[in-house]
Amino acid sequence: MSASSEEIKVLSARRMAWMRFSANPVAIMGALMVASVILAAIFAPVIAPFPDHAGAVIDFRNKHAAPDATYLLGADKVGRDILSRVIFGFRVSLLLVAGVLIVAVPIGGGLGLLAGYFSGKIEAVITGFTNVMLAIPPLVMALAVGNVLTPSLTNAMIAIALLWWTWHARLVYRVSKSVAAEDFVEAARLAGASHWHILTREILPNCIAVISVKTTLDAAFIILFGATLSFLGLGVQPPTPDLGTMVADGRQFLPERWWGVLAPGLAIFYATLGFNLLGDGLRDMFDVEV
Amino acid sequence: MTSGFAEFLLRRIVGFAGVLLVLALMIFILARVVPGDPARIALGPTASAEQLAELREEMGLDDPLPLQFVNFLGGAIRGDFGNSLISGRPVAEEIAGLLPATLELVLATLIIMLALGLPLGILAARYRNSWFDAVLRIVSLAGVTMPSFLFAILLQLGAAYYLTDWPILGRMSREFSDFSGATGLLIIDGLLAGRLDITLDALRHLAFPALALSMSGIGQIMRITRSAMIEHQRRDHVQTLRSFGVPGRIVTFRYLLKLSAIAPLTIMGLEFASLIGNAFVVEMVFSWGGFASAGLEAVMQKDLNAVMAVVLVSGCFFVVANLLIDILIGLIDPRLRMKEAR
């Protein structure tokens, strides 16, 4: 087969994947939702009606103001605009996601790659350790970490990342093990390629699809998890606007002042739903199992 | 059951014991190596140096770390986690008193998860790609993506506006507060004592927390059951049954369901870890007064002994649940019993 026909084949496979994705209205919706969350987070100071309300502003005259033309989603217990705080809250959520994934994906993926490629002792040790870590209830572990460290965004990241890599290790291990048995890997070995070359150039590219789908779905669960931690008072501390903390604060004023809970609560739901729909769409597009 | 399956179970038990051992080691390291003196937490900032030294001696905090770990492990196996740094009472005693509340909540949640998740998944597979399937897909996605505390709060909010006499806090009404039974599970105790009113009251209190806690599991089980049913429908043995003229209903319920239940059961085992985590939140929202909310309090007050106990007991919960699920899957799936015999 000539090089040019090979190239056309690759292109068309890619185009077909894109066609599968773009023909899926749910996936497109997910992508738009994720894009809106990311844009809102980046341009929060420009979009938010009251950017200074992200801080420790107090305006008791508008305490618990109901949703109206000025405060579209109402105001909180010290009179701050809830919409502005929700927009800044996305910032904190996405920071948490980025912080956790930057640590968890390389560590988990790397260990999974190694375990799948090298059989024997390395495989046994890594899979054994991963299985043990998988058996630890994440929130319980986060509570334990929260107990010894002071609650903050960084420590919430540490607590989550400490367990999050296990899922990536498990997933990449499965793919890497099956790819390592393929002929082209054997061929590379016979041609004298180093372990490093085989791992990064032969096996890793085959894991990219799975990793990217998993990472997208992860974003949703990390937002959920971070919100749960801060709802319990173990995450981001005031006055930094955090969606979970806002729900916890608003809960004290139920049932009359429902907007204090509904706005940040539904914002969490919106973000997690978006990442989930996008992740499902990517999964269909790459046709992989996660 | 074959001896091969017994061997398989034995291997799982050993594996789970390993899990608990590593968990114990991790939590021990976390509690001892990270700064913060347990004796100081117990006595408060005004304690004198002699008092501190005395308590450190009593708690064995001056022993070498490996010895401390062995002592901690030995105690944990006997169910002795030391005294709470805050209340001074034995931690094991406090936890044992709260465990039934959590057990009742978790069991009810599991029942709801299966009772709703499995049938809905089957229906979604049967009417695949119809509007019904689409609605169920949205419902299951909402279950997976919405935080359980939000569900809990929405249920409370709904009750506050539309079901004003429905209980939204605690495990039973105040008028029954002097009632106590042998098992601590109010529903069962009420039945045992012949007090139907108490069982009914407990059920009413249980409904919302259990529903809030089960939403994400319902969604997961529904999704997995649906795809498992669809996958198995294409298999040869199912096609054979159909071509023999076996009615669709019997194929679905006697053959397909059995096969398709394995995947959701496996998922339930893994899900159990997040179920325990979410129980902390739901118990807090509903003032459930169980083991999970007590754990949260222990964390807030930096009661190290209680935290270590809570983490280990949660680990045990997870391990036992997974063992039970393994047994269940072994009962359903003869292939597993045979394969593992090798």
Side-chain angles (χ1 to χ4, degrees):
Chain A
M1 204 174 280
S2 73
S4 65
S5 74
E6 186 72 14
E7 219 169 63
I8 291 168
K9 223 177 181 181
V10 170
L11 257 180
S12 69
R14 235 178 238 171
R15 194 168 297 161
M16 261 170 62
W18 168 245
M19 275 163 64
R20 262 206 302 273
F21 184 79
S22 56
N24 183 349
V26 180
I28 294 291
M29 199 169 86
L32 290 177
M33 287 165 81
V34 169
S36 68
V37 171
I38 294 176
L39 287 177
I42 293 175
F43 297 107
V46 186
I47 301 170
F50 301 90
D52 55 323
H53 285 198
V57 171
I58 292 175
D59 174 15
F60 278 126
R61 270 169 312 158
N62 289 309
K63 178 169 94 167
H64 294 304
D68 60 19
T70 331
Y71 300 111
L72 289 177
L73 298 177
D76 69 2
K77 64 178 174 186
V78 291
R80 291 176 299 198
D81 178 39
I82 290 179
L83 176 62
S84 303
R85 289 184 67 77
V86 164
I87 291 172
F88 276 92
F90 280 144
R91 244 185 191 194
V92 175
S93 294
L94 291 184
L95 267 178
L96 180 73
V97 168
V100 171
L101 289 178
I102 283 171
V103 177
V105 175
I107 291 181
L111 287 176
L113 213 57
L114 289 176
Y117 177 60
F118 296 108
S119 44
K121 265 200 196 112
I122 295 181
E123 181 185 12
V125 168
I126 295 179
T127 52
F129 186 56
T130 308
N131 283 338
V132 168
M133 295 295 280
L134 271 172
I136 300 172
L139 196 70
V140 173
M141 194 64 207
L143 287 177
V145 174
N147 184 40
V148 289
L149 304 172
T150 25
S152 70
L153 181 64
T154 325
N155 290 340
M157 274 180 201
I158 293 173
I160 300 174
L162 211 56
L163 290 174
W164 214 271
W165 60 269
T166 51
W167 296 97
H168 284 269
R170 218 166 88 122
L171 199 64
V172 172
Y173 163 72
R174 210 182 61 204
V175 179
S176 146
K177 189 160 178 68
S178 75
V179 172
E182 298 269 351
D183 288 342
F184 64 86
V185 173
E186 190 58 37
R189 212 190 330 255
L190 287 176
S194 63
H195 287 318
W196 174 254
H197 174 91
I198 296 178
L199 279 171
T200 55
R201 295 296 178 81
E202 310 287 343
I203 300 184
L204 183 61
N206 287 289
C207 303
I208 292 298
V210 172
I211 293 176
S212 55
V213 173
K214 177 70 185 151
T215 304
T216 312
L217 292 172
D218 268 357
F221 287 111
I222 294 171
I223 292 174
L224 205 61
F225 200 81
T228 307
L229 272 189
S230 50
F231 177 74
L232 293 174
L234 290 167
V236 184
Q237 296 300 302
T240 311
D242 176 89
L243 300 172
T245 317
M246 288 171 76
V247 175
D249 278 347
R251 198 169 77 91
Q252 302 157 20
F253 307 102
L254 291 177
E256 291 84 10
R257 286 150 185 154
W258 44 267
W259 51 89
V261 164
L262 275 196
L266 292 179
I268 299 169
F269 181 50
Y270 178 80
T272 52
L273 187 64
F275 277 106
N276 254 298
L277 294 177
L278 179 62
D280 280 355
L282 290 177
R283 176 168 52 194
D284 293 345
M285 175 174 129
F286 290 125
D287 196 19
V288 290
E289 222 172 286
V290 171
Chain B
M1 213 169 283
T2 60
S3 64
F5 187 59
E7 196 191 308
F8 161 70
L9 278 186
L10 199 68
R11 230 181 305 141
R12 294 293 280 182
I13 291 173
V14 172
F16 282 139
V19 167
L20 288 181
L21 188 69
V22 174
L23 182 59
L25 184 62
M26 280 183 56
I27 186 67
F28 178 80
I29 292 173
L30 215 52
R32 284 290 179 271
V33 177
V34 172
D37 181 357
R40 171 66 74 188
I41 295 169
L43 292 174
T46 55
S48 69
E50 293 92 70
Q51 284 173 308
L52 275 176
E54 203 175 305
L55 189 68
R56 288 183 64 85
E57 172 73 38
E58 194 189 314
M59 291 169 76
L61 290 174
D62 295 325
D63 296 340
L65 280 177
L67 181 65
Q68 281 193 44
F69 180 63
V70 170
N71 286 339
F72 164 67
L73 208 60
I77 289 168
R78 289 195 310 272
D80 175 11
F81 294 99
N83 292 343
S84 158
L85 299 184
I86 306 298
S87 72
R89 290 178 52 217
V91 169
E93 215 172 89
E94 296 203 337
I95 286 186
L98 299 168
L99 219 47
T102 300
L103 206 59
E104 197 167 48
L105 178 62
V106 168
L107 285 177
T109 303
L110 290 177
I111 292 172
I112 295 179
M113 266 162 57
L114 279 180
L116 287 179
L118 272 179
L120 287 177
I122 293 169
L123 285 175
R126 184 152 190 165
Y127 301 103
R128 159 168 46 136
N129 297 334
S130 68
W131 62 268
F132 182 69
D133 184 25
V135 169
L136 282 187
R137 194 177 158 214
I138 294 170
V139 170
S140 80
L141 201 57
V144 177
T145 49
M146 205 186 267
S148 56
F149 60 82
L150 191 59
F151 260 120
I153 291 173
L154 287 180
L155 283 172
Q156 282 185 332
L157 204 54
Y161 278 105
Y162 301 107
L163 268 175
T164 40
D165 58 343
W166 193 271
I168 51 171
L169 290 177
R171 290 179 71 201
M172 61 178 167
S173 305
R174 193 166 296 148
E175 63 211 76
F176 302 127
S177 56
D178 51 347
F179 174 83
S180 73
T183 65
L185 305 173
L186 291 175
I187 293 171
I188 309 230
D189 283 339
L191 284 176
L192 287 179
R195 294 283 301 274
L196 272 183
D197 51 338
I198 287 181
T199 298
L200 204 66
D201 185 60
L203 273 173
R204 272 162 56 99
H205 280 81
L206 184 60
F208 278 5
L211 195 62
L213 194 51
S214 58
M215 282 312 286
S216 98
I218 293 174
Q220 293 269 18
I221 290 181
M222 210 153 72
R223 262 163 106 162
I224 307 270
T225 310
R226 178 185 179 276
S227 57
M229 290 287 283
I230 290 174
E231 194 207 316
H232 284 297
Q233 262 168 12
R234 294 196 215 117
R235 294 280 179 82
D236 290 343
H237 58 272
V238 178
Q239 300 289 352
T240 311
L241 285 172
R242 284 200 204 287
S243 61
F244 278 166
V246 178
R249 203 163 10 94
I250 293 182
V251 173
T252 303
F253 288 103
R254 192 171 303 165
Y255 297 97
L256 264 178
L257 181 57
K258 225 170 148 183
L259 277 172
S260 310
I262 295 167
L265 277 176
T266 316
I267 286 293
M268 254 175 87
L270 284 174
E271 268 293 288
F272 207 83
S274 67
L275 179 66
I276 295 171
N278 283 334
F280 279 80
V281 187
V282 171
E283 282 195 6
M284 178 189 144
V285 174
F286 286 98
S287 309
W288 194 248
F291 155 74
S293 27
L296 198 62
E297 209 168 297
V299 170
M300 294 301 180
Q301 300 178 323
K302 299 214 178 283
D303 187 343
L304 280 178
N305 284 350
V307 172
M308 286 161 89
V310 165
V311 170
L312 272 184
V313 173
S314 305
C316 284
F317 251 113
F318 179 84
V319 161
V320 170
N322 274 280
L323 205 58
L324 289 178
I325 285 171
D326 281 342
I327 294 174
L328 209 58
I329 293 176
L331 288 176
I332 294 175
D333 189 353
R335 285 173 308 181
L336 188 70
R337 299 203 294 268
M338 297 306 178
K339 197 171 72 186
E340 295 293 341
R342 268 187 280 140

